């Protein structure tokens, strides 16, 4: 079945899926607002919808509810990074790594930040460690290549 694109080029099926998912998690949170996993999912949906402030708000709420939940800190880092708040993103990723220093998503996120801030050698270190933890991470492989390219 062909997809229908909106004037902005967004696939309507993706938008509908995101909306359906958001409604599902909203129902979960309506029953029990103390579900950090649902807040994390909502933050990722907000990111995909380019609603960066909402993503930061939901991921922050997840870290407040579950300060030892690594995915909450990673989601907060991703949300801050997407909204251009690089210092806050670095803090969130660093907190994730304090809780679990083998989290490849946090290392990949930090690597991406290090490229943006002109710290390619640090980026390479984070991407290599991400790949050590998760050799199949495509994002870490791409990031490593970008970090090497940034050194030349």
């Amino acid at each position: 079945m062909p997809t229908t694109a909106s004037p902005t080029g967004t696939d309507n099926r993706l938008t509908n899926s995101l909306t359906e998912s958001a409604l599902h998690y909203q129902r979960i949170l309506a029953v029990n607002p103390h579900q950090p996993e649902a807040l994390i999912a909502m933050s990722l949906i907000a990111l995909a919808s380019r609603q960066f402030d909402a993503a930061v708000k939901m991921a922050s709420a997840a870290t407040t509810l579950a300060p030892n939940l690594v995915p909450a800190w990673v989601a907060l880092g991703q949300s801050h990074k997407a909204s251009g708040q690089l210092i806050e993103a670095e803090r969130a990723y660093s907190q994730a790594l304090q809780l679990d220093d083998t989290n490849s998503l946090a290392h990949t996120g930090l690597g991406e930040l290090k490229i943006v801030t002109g710290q390619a050698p640090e980026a390479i270190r984070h991407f290599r460690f991400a790949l050590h933890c998760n050799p199949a991470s495509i994002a870490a492989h791409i990031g490593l290549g970008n970090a090497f390219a940034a050194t030349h």
Side-chain angles (χ1 to χ4, degrees):
M1 175 190 323
T3 61
T4 305
S6 71
T8 60
T10 303
D11 180 349
N12 285 337
R13 288 190 312 181
L14 175 61
T15 302
N16 292 340
S17 294
L18 290 173
T19 301
E20 185 178 322
S21 295
L23 289 172
H24 170 77
Y25 288 112
Q26 286 172 353
R27 285 191 295 271
I28 291 171
L29 291 168
V31 172
N32 182 357
H34 302 291
Q35 291 288 328
E37 293 84 358
L39 288 165
I40 293 166
M42 289 290 293
S43 76
L44 297 176
I45 291 167
L47 274 178
S49 302
R50 304 188 57 75
Q51 298 173 2
F52 303 133
D53 291 340
V56 168
K57 182 179 176 182
M58 287 178 247
S60 292
T63 63
T64 300
L65 284 174
N68 293 323
L69 187 60
V70 175
W73 290 102
V74 172
L76 184 58
Q78 292 168 330
S79 299
H80 279 309
K81 183 176 66 171
S83 66
Q85 301 168 349
L86 303 185
I87 292 170
E88 292 85 353
E90 184 170 2
R91 285 185 192 137
Y93 287 132
S94 295
Q95 180 61 33
L97 290 176
Q98 282 186 353
L99 295 168
D100 177 7
D101 66 350
T102 65
N103 187 282
S104 64
L105 292 175
H107 278 290
T108 299
L110 272 173
E112 291 167 351
L113 287 175
K114 298 300 181 182
I115 290 173
V116 170
T117 58
Q119 301 173 60
E122 255 319 276
I124 291 168
R125 185 179 72 76
H126 281 290
F127 289 125
R128 282 186 170 155
F129 201 83
L131 288 168
H132 172 75
C133 299
N134 180 5
S137 172
I138 293 171
H141 280 286
I142 291 169
L144 184 59
N146 290 337
F148 279 128
T151 63
H152 293 83

